[in-house]
Each structure stands twice: as structure tokens, then as C-alpha cells.
Amino acid sequence: MSEPLIELTGITKVLKGQSEPRTILDGVDLTVREGESVAVVGRSGSGKSTLLSVVGLFDRPDAGRYLLAGQDISRLRERRAAKLRSSHFGFVFQRFFLLKHLTAAQNVAMALVNGQGWPRRERRRRVLAALDQVGIAHLAKNRPAKMSGGEQQRVAIARALVRNPRVLLADEPTGALDTETGTLVIDALLGATENGCGLILVTHDRDHAARMGRILDLADGVLTERVPA
Amino acid sequence: MMRLSGRLRSSLIIGLQGIRARKLRTLLSMVSLFLGVLAVVVVQAGASIAERALMSDLELTNGIDGTRVLDMPPNPQAADIVVSTIAGRSDAVASMAASAIIGEPGVQPVNPGGSPMDENWGSSSICYPDGHCEEQGGPKGEAVELRLTALTGDIRAFRPFRLQSGRWLDFTTMPALAPRLVLNREAAKGFEEHHVPAEMRVGGAVHDVTPQFIGVVDDGDPQPRAYVRVDELANWLPPGGLADPNTGGEMRVMLAPSTPAERVLTAKLRGAGVETYLSTVDSRKERGKELSLMRLIFFSMAGLVLLIGVAGILNVGLATVGERVEEFALRRAVGTPRSLLAGIVLAETLLTGLLTAAAAIAASAAALKVVSTLLGDSQPLLHDVQFPWEAGVAGIIAGLVAGILGGFVPALRAAGIPIATVMRA
Ligand SMILES: Nc1ncnc2c1ncn2[C@@H]1O[C@H](COP(=O)(O)OP(=O)(O)OP(=O)(O)O)[C@@H](O)[C@H]1O
Ligand SMILES: [Mg+2]
């Protein structure tokens, strides 16, 4: 079996709301290996997005241990977190968050913070390769306003893939799309796992969840593996 | 270093993208800032032009800042030492003046005593080497009295005379037999108003001389003066005669800062027992105090106007950041460091400030050009005046400062946007 990319043990996250603090994650255990795809399901407000924001280093857990590729990163500074986000993770959200004044290619290139120190040609090549990987290389010069929702989401996936992330985190990426287009998007995400990339997909769609290697249920702050029926 | 310049580049590129995507907002920011930067540019331009005019007048009369000035009482022996020591040098020039009358012989000049043409200070007396003075009598006639100033070299290296017409003295050629004279403006005025024959009487000269007038300069002197090469005058009047205390001679040597001639000359003069007074021209320091208070007052007013512009940038900047919360959250999510986000916002306001500065500088340079062509003839201060570079620098600094002040708070806001925004949107 391949090395675990992500190993969470006993992750706890308490959110301080207006009144009293609420424990959203209460001892989450989760392991994701290279090339593995995992679906996280649960009812609205169960904390799925919160879990992704901990995994994606948007936020720090209040307790528990987080190993990323064997390295303990339970506590780390924002500077280093920003570096790890760009070197290890790719993000896809329900909304596409494309910058409307930029072309598809420029939107993808946006994820190359500081140009990665790569020469312009190399950057161009990678951007086009990422767009090609999700099947929309021909739209490189289009602006978001001229693209369909499915195409826009695939630009967003290309943006997540352009740096060859170790793990893709997708938070309801098909939520705003029809079933058919959603399927295309899931295809694109699963395509990336063939290169050894891990995938955590948060979804409300049973069919999409069923296409993942494992399905995990988030309820009452803990993750439980759904045994295939 | 690599990382820093990479970030700077990224900030500028993304900042430019932002400006291009929001042209109207940028324009509004610029409009709000324009008057402030313009005020700074105009104040600095006015101050520089005024100071430059003052300084150049001072330079004409006193000499360029840093010039060493050696004064001594007129004394024939000293004159010989001075001329023999520094003749032919360009880093030291001596001037020796004596009174001269040009015009009809035997008449009282129109300006007795060499006074300015429009002021008549009454009759004058001429004193002779043997010590006795004589009331200058005779009928008033067509003659002008002036200070005849003999030069050992081109004094314009120290006092940048402005040529009005004709030529300046040429010190490179062989001395001419008839001395060539360059008049100052006051002397030229005298010859214009009065029909004067070109015959010159100099106190102590053997004969009367027929000089040639070759040009007119502005030397900043209100008294009529004529400049002549000391070697051309020497045929009639040796240097020693020029330095005759009885004819009210002046003797002055102007030296470049740190020329070896200074040491040699002072040593020789001291050896001969001549008293000398050495000073260094420093007009800027003297003038600086007067100007700085005025400048302070005007700059504070301009600063206030600029502050209003800063508030405008700040306002637009905050609104823009509020509108771009998602973009910044997303940028943070893909690993953009907070410092770069702040840099992007600052780059936008800085570029806006610089664009505004460019516009304000262009506007005031154009306005100055118009004013100069319209009023230049009646106002010598505005005649052919160049846009001072200091005003350009002040405008750019004002634009940058406004950009930093107006962009600082929005930049902090942008850096503080939580990434989770992208998940809750
Ligand atoms: N900043 C916050 N402060 C306090 N409580 C918060 C904050 N953000 C989210 N919550 C709460 O945390 C809980 C989990 O939110 P989260 O967004 O993780 O749920 P989710 O499972 O992603 O829901 P959905 O399926 O609707 O996206 C919710 O009850 C929400 O109200
Ligand atoms: Mg959610």
C-alpha cells in the first residue's frame, strides 16, 4: 500500500459563534493515500467545509494531530501554511471564483504565485497542459463571461491542477451544475487521481459519491466509513 | 533579493491588471488626488523658479556659490603681483576697476561719479596721483562716466554674465591695439540715451583711447560699467595705474574652490605686505532662511489639499477591497502570502498616485509654458522659464506618499481576509 498523504487523528475544531463556542469537529480521524479518492457526505451544517478548511490549511485545528506526507503540521505559521497550500493542495469550490477580467489561461496562471520562479515559456506550457487535462485547452483565451458553468468549473479545476498538487480538495464542485455537466467535472477530478493525486470530494450527490473509492459520513463531529452495501 | 524582486514584479503585474479591470475607479481616485498633487507641484515649481531667479541674480553680482573671493586695497605693487601670477589662468581671474569717462573731452559727464543713469548725484571730483583733488568743472556735455573694469581672464566662470547683444571679450586671441569694451546694461543705456563720441579718458592714462564697443552684458550691477582685457588696456594704462587708490580703484580676485593659485597668490601678496581679505561665496545659505519659511507655509497648505486626495484614494481603495474579498480569499487559498496581497493593493494605489503625479506634472508644465509665453515679455521672472525638475520630483514624491497613505489601510484589510470566505460564499 502507498504512503499516507494525509493522516488526521482526533482533529477537533471549535468555532466561536455569537453565543457559546460550538464543537464542529470532535475527534475526526482520516487517512488519504496517493491516488485515493474519498467522498465526504453529511447533512448541511455538519462541518464538511470546516473539515476541508482544516485539511487545506485555511484554518488550524484546536486539537489533534495532522501529518502531511509524514510531517507533523498540526501547528504551523501562516507563512509556511501558505507555502504548503500552494505546493501540496489544489482547491475547487462550489462557486468557481474566476476573476472576470482575466482569460481562462490567466485565471489558471493565477495559482502560480510569483510565477513559481519558472520562465514564461514553462508557465505557459503548464497552464495549457492543465487546461488540456480538463478538456478545454481551446478556451484558453476566453473570459469567464463567455463560458458555460461547466467550462468555468473546469477552468477552476485546471487552476487547482496547474501545480501538480498532492491532494485535491473539492467542496461541492458540482453544486451549481446540472447532472451531465457535473459528471464531466467529476471525470476531470478523477482523472487527476490517476497521476497519484489524492482527492477529497465533499458532495450531496449520491452518484458522484459512489464513484469515489471510499465514502465517509460526517455526523456529530466524527467521520465514519460507510460500508458499501 | 530574488524573492523580493519576484514579489515586487508580481505585485506590479497584478496591480496593473486590477487597474485595467477597474478603469473608472482608478480615474475617480486620480481625480480626487489630482488637485493635491497639483498643489504640491505648483508650490515647488514656484519656489524653485523664485529661488533660481534670486540665486542667478546673486550669482551675477556675488559669484557662484563656492567661489573664493580675494579682496585687497588697490595698490600698484599688488596689481603687478596679481596680474603676473594669474595671467592666462582660467581658475583665477582678477578684476581691477578705475573710473573712466567716455565722450566729449573737457565736459562734465551726464552722470558724474559714475552713478546710475537716472540718478544724478551732482558734480564729482577727480583725484590725482599726487593727492590733490579737483572739482570737475566745465559745462555739462555728451560724456558718460563709468567703472572701467580690466579682467585677466574670462570672469564668467565665476559670475555668469548674461550676454544681451554683441559678443563677450575673447581672451584667447592676441590683444588688440584698440581696447575692446563690453558694456553692462546701465552703461549701454547711457550710450543709447546720449550721443557720445567714442573717445575714452582714463585717470592716469598717457593718452586718450579710442575703444571699440563689442557687446553688452547683464552683470547685475546698477552702476555703468565697461569690461576690458587687462592686456589690451595695458598699452595705455599699466595694471599699476588701474590700481591707483586715488582714482577709487577696486581690486578683486575670484578663484575656483581649491586652486593652487590661491596659495601662491596669497603667499606672494603677504610677502609684499599687502593686506588681503578672503571669503567664500555662499548665497544659498543666506537666502535659504528667507525662502524656507515661505516654503513651509505653502507646503503645509498643499499638504492639506493632498490629504483630501488621500482620503479619496482611501475611500475608493476600501470599496475596491470590499468588492474583491473573494478574489483575495481565493488568492490566499492558492498560497499567495499575505504580504503579496498587501503589495498588490499598495501597488495599485502607488501606480494610481504615480499616474496622477504624471498628469499633474504634465498639466503644470503645460500651464507654465502658456504663462511664460503670455506674460514672459512683461515679467522677466517668467521669461523663457523652464519647468524646474524639483517640482517634478516633488510631484512624484507626493503621488507616492499619497499612494502609500491611501493604500495602507486597504492593504491591511486585504491581507486580513479569512480564506474560509471562499467556502461560505
Ligand atoms: N465562522 C463561523 N463561526 C461560527 N460558526 C460557523 C462559522 N462558519 C460556519 N459555522 C458553523 O459551523 C457549522 C459547520 O459549517 P460548515 O460550513 O462546515 O458546514 P457544511 O457541512 O459545509 O454545510 P453545507 O453542506 O451547507 O455546506 C455550521 O453550523 C455553521 O453555522
Ligand atoms: Mg459547506
Side-chain angles (χ1 to χ4, degrees), chain A residues 53-74:
Chain A
S53 72
V54 168
V55 173
L57 300 175
F58 295 180
D59 221 342
R60 307 291 178 279
D62 294 304
R65 201 164 66 127
Y66 183 170
L67 298 185
L68 178 67
Q71 235 186 331
D72 192 338
I73 55 161
S74 313

Side-chain angles (χ1 to χ4, degrees), chain B residues 55-371:
Chain B
M55 286 302 296
S56 76
D57 281 351
L58 285 173
E59 276 176 354
L60 272 189
T61 44
N62 296 353
I64 291 170
D65 271 6
T67 302
R68 307 275 283 165
V69 177
L70 192 65
D71 282 308
M72 64 206 83
N75 161 338
Q77 192 194 0
D80 287 331
I81 293 175
V82 166
V83 170
S84 65
T85 310
I86 65 174
R89 296 193 76 102
S90 59
D91 56 356
V93 172
S95 61
M96 290 168 276
S99 165
I101 295 171
I102 297 179
E104 289 181 289
V107 297
Q108 202 185 4
V110 291
N111 61 332
S115 58
M117 290 302 147
D118 303 328
E119 303 164 22
N120 200 331
W121 290 340
S123 63
S124 73
S125 54
I126 273 201
C127 295
Y128 292 99
D130 57 10
H132 84 277
C133 292
E134 220 171 65
E135 189 72 18
Q136 253 192 315
K140 274 217 168 197
E142 295 295 282
V144 172
E145 183 170 352
L146 43 70
R147 308 289 297 165
L148 182 63
T149 310
L151 301 173
T152 61
D154 193 346
I155 198 164
R156 290 183 307 172
F158 308 104
R159 294 176 60 188
F161 293 167
R162 294 186 275 248
L163 191 64
Q164 304 289 305
S165 64
R167 288 173 288 128
W168 172 242
L169 299 171
D170 186 353
F171 290 87
T172 57
T173 55
M174 288 286 292
L177 284 174
R180 290 169 291 191
L181 297 193
V182 171
L183 304 175
N184 74 353
R185 291 215 295 195
E186 196 59 24
K189 200 161 106 189
F191 289 106
E192 223 165 70
E193 287 169 5
H194 303 277
H195 213 74
V196 172
E199 191 163 351
M200 178 164 72
R201 279 160 287 141
V202 187
V206 217
H207 308 288
D208 285 356
V209 190
T210 308
Q212 331 167 33
F213 300 112
I214 60 166
V216 178
V217 291
D218 179 7
D219 64 352
D221 197 329
Q223 277 189 293
R225 244 177 218 283
Y227 294 93
V228 63
R229 274 172 63 167
V230 72
D231 48 1
E232 289 185 1
L233 194 63
N235 296 331
W236 285 267
L237 184 68
L242 265 175
D244 185 342
N246 301 313
T247 53
E250 323 162 350
M251 278 192 65
R252 165 171 282 196
V253 182
M254 296 187 118
L255 303 117
S258 84
T259 162
E262 181 183 320
R263 250 196 17 245
V264 177
L265 187 61
T266 44
K268 280 192 191 172
L269 289 170
R270 204 180 310 121
V274 179
E275 250 184 290
T276 57
Y277 312 94
L278 190 62
S279 59
T280 305
V281 179
D282 192 359
S283 313
R284 199 168 292 276
K285 204 167 122 196
E286 287 166 27
R287 279 287 158 186
K289 285 189 209 110
E290 292 171 37
L291 282 172
S292 63
L293 184 67
M294 284 288 284
R295 192 177 284 207
L296 194 70
I297 293 169
F298 278 112
F299 267 121
S300 341
M301 293 192 318
L304 273 180
V305 184
L306 190 64
L307 220 55
I308 298 171
V310 169
I313 280 209
L314 187 64
N315 189 17
V316 175
L318 283 176
T320 310
V321 168
E323 201 176 71
R324 296 167 78 185
V325 164
E326 290 177 359
E327 176 189 338
F328 289 130
L330 179 76
R331 286 191 187 276
R332 282 197 66 196
V334 299
T336 309
R338 288 157 177 253
S339 57
L340 182 53
L341 283 189
I344 291 167
V345 174
L346 266 182
E348 279 184 31
T349 54
L350 278 177
L351 286 171
T352 307
L354 280 180
L355 281 175
T356 313
I361 290 168
S364 40
L368 185 65
K369 186 120 202 158
V370 170
V371 169

Side-chain angles (χ1 to χ4, degrees), chain A residues 15 17 22 24 43-50 172 204, chain B residues 424:
Chain A
L15 288 179
R22 274 182 56 204
I24 309 296
R43 59 173 181 74
S44 183
S46 57
K48 304 181 295 295
S49 298
T50 307
E172 295 181 45
H204 287 294
Chain B
R424 317 266 176 236

Side-chain angles (χ1 to χ4, degrees), chain A residues 14-18 20-25 40-53 59 94 171-172 202-204 218, chain B residues 418 420 423-424:
Chain A
V14 181
L15 288 179
K16 290 147 200 83
Q18 278 99 338
E20 71 249 37
R22 274 182 56 204
T23 306
I24 309 296
L25 302 178
V40 174
V41 297
R43 59 173 181 74
S44 183
S46 57
K48 304 181 295 295
S49 298
T50 307
L51 174 62
L52 277 198
S53 72
D59 221 342
Q94 176 168 351
D171 193 359
E172 295 181 45
V202 169
T203 185
H204 287 294
L218 183 59
Chain B
M423 307 196 117
R424 317 266 176 236

Side-chain angles (χ1 to χ4, degrees), chain A residues 67-161:
Chain A
L67 298 185
L68 178 67
Q71 235 186 331
D72 192 338
I73 55 161
S74 313
R75 313 233 161 282
L76 82 170
R77 291 167 175 279
E78 169 54 26
R79 250 170 129 52
R80 183 142 157 67
K83 279 219 179 85
L84 287 176
R85 279 200 295 275
S86 92
S87 61
H88 281 66
F89 294 100
F91 302 95
V92 184
F93 310 101
Q94 176 168 351
R95 285 181 47 206
F96 323 128
F97 295 119
L98 300 183
L99 303 183
K100 56 181 186 296
H101 59 279
L102 300 182
T103 64
Q106 286 173 321
N107 265 292
V108 173
M110 194 205 86
L112 303 175
V113 179
N114 273 335
Q116 292 294 98
W118 293 338
R120 178 191 282 268
R121 282 226 338 257
E122 173 71 3
R123 294 201 301 262
R124 243 181 85 79
R125 193 186 65 71
R126 300 243 189 173
V127 165
L128 287 179
L131 283 170
D132 194 44
Q133 199 178 337
V134 294
I136 49 164
H138 58 288
L139 299 177
K141 292 215 167 86
N142 287 26
R143 282 178 209 278
K146 286 192 181 167
M147 287 187 265
S148 74
E151 286 162 349
Q152 290 188 46
Q153 187 61 302
R154 280 184 286 167
V155 173
I157 295 173
R159 182 178 63 198
L161 291 176

